[in-house]
Amino acid sequence: MNSSPWWKEATIYQIYPRSFFDSNGDGEGDLPGVTSKLDYVKSLGVDAIWLSPFYTSPNKDGGYDVANPRDVDPRFGNLDDAKELITQAHKQDLRVIADIVPNHFSDQHEWFQAALKAGRGSRERQRFHFYDANEDGTPPNNWISLFGGPSWTQVEDGQFYLHLFDSSQPDLNWDNPEVNEDFEKTLRFWIDLGVDGFRIDVAHGLVKEDVLKNHPDPQGLSNALRLDVAMDSDERNALLLTVPYFDRQGVHEIYRKWRKLFDSYGDRNIMAVAEAWVHPPVNATRYVRADELHQVFNFDLLTAEFDADVLYDVVEQSISLNATVNALPTWALSNHDSPRVASRIGDEQARALALFVFGLPGSTYVFAGQELGLPDGQLQDSDRQDPTFFRTNGGIKGRDGARVPLPWSGNTSPFGFSTGKPWLPISQSWKDLTVESELVDPKSSLHLYKNALELRKEFLVGSGGITWLESSQHGSKSNSLLSYARGAVTVVMNLSDSAQECEANGKLVVVSSGTVDARDGKKVIPPHSTAWFLA
Ligand code: NOJ
């Protein structure tokens, strides 16, 4: 019997509920919509779903602006729908991970509304970061919001409150014990309703230091924190070491407390994964020390070039750093905050990278639609809803492209997603990317994902570490091939645009695109493709 906890090497399917499936024709996905598609989710071969927030929210930031963390927003259904989703998922042996947002609330949360009313110096204001203006009327410091513009907004009586994100997302003051008490209540609420784990939003951000000090280079820091701004890596790394509001020691005290809470549920094996963008990379391992959280996202593959040396470094570093704390890595190629991998590196390359990553030790995250090879949606500015777009006056287009609803069936947009008008338009060009059409195409991305996830479960999960076979550090003459062996499987990725010979032994079990030929006893891997060989 496999005694590993369920999450250890799980494949976790991220669902952005608003974009998954609309059950009531209002143009937005909802919880009953997710429940109705659990057969499909199960058929992919994944172990768990992670649901992006579905809590009561004015939806200024896709639900990451939570007005009541212990209720469901009517746009998504109600608490009974959440319960039913969890029950049905469990019947299919799928675990459910909820997304918890502890860095900030929505300005519509009752605490913030009470803080506005109660005025300066009140107990209510101490749950947030309220401060007086400087003598010249400027905000308490010069920090820039992650979504652009100042990190401070002034209220009627002249005080400012801190918001690292949108002005509708006031940051909570984690020095106030009431905040942790309330979050522990929320964690228990969802565990008691049946969830199996949590994805912790901005897990590195809860504790702030130097809230009344200016940063020496706020614009530089803001650029360094943004993945879409090109910057010399030494300069970026130096700036990232100066963030006063991320990755402070105090956050670990919080997760130690939470770990005790999770462990108090015994063999339910409640897990948590941290969204922690930290620098240097070794700091990420602190979140997964034995008495803290279970997983931490590795975001490197969201931006890594399709290049053998770059990918070798990402994989090697993540495996070896996690090993120092006896943890396994996580892998993600796409999520709701980043360009979809097929658009970022190309369709064939995205398949090749997925198959390469599915063989690795650790947990794999798949963002709904990634299995279909969806590109980013092409949107008009008038369609956009991301606060980043508005806070930068359109300077940054934002993340809506990755959030376009899923195409399910039929030949005409919105492809069965909704009987109404979808909240973001789905391009007619996605006709051949629907679930229905990919199911009947044996060469589709969907088939590749299903095959690969089944093989992963059968031959790779639980089979230990990898041994590199081909990389420029392991005697490869070119920067074209990257290959490792794990258990009985040899995984070979050809990153170049021409076919490449390799020495892999064994029988071909899956290839991401094209055909593997044999030549003079060697295997020939097609361009931009990954193959698995079973000994
Ligand atoms: C990270 C979430 O993934 C993102 O969508 C959100 O905008 C920010 N955190 C703020 O909550």
Side-chain angles (χ1 to χ4, degrees), residues 168 222 233 272 288-289 422 503 513 520 533:
S168 66
S222 162
S233 67
V288 284
R289 287 177 289 200
E503 312 259 348
S513 54
D520 304 331
F533 300 94

Side-chain angles (χ1 to χ4, degrees), residues 61 64 101 104 147 165 169 199 201-202 275 336-337 399 403:
D61 180 25
Y64 285 92
V101 190
H104 43 266
F147 288 168
F165 295 90
Q169 294 166 295
R199 177 260 189 194
D201 189 64
V202 201
E275 187 216 20
H336 64 294
D337 290 330
R399 302 159 293 176
R403 301 175 180 180

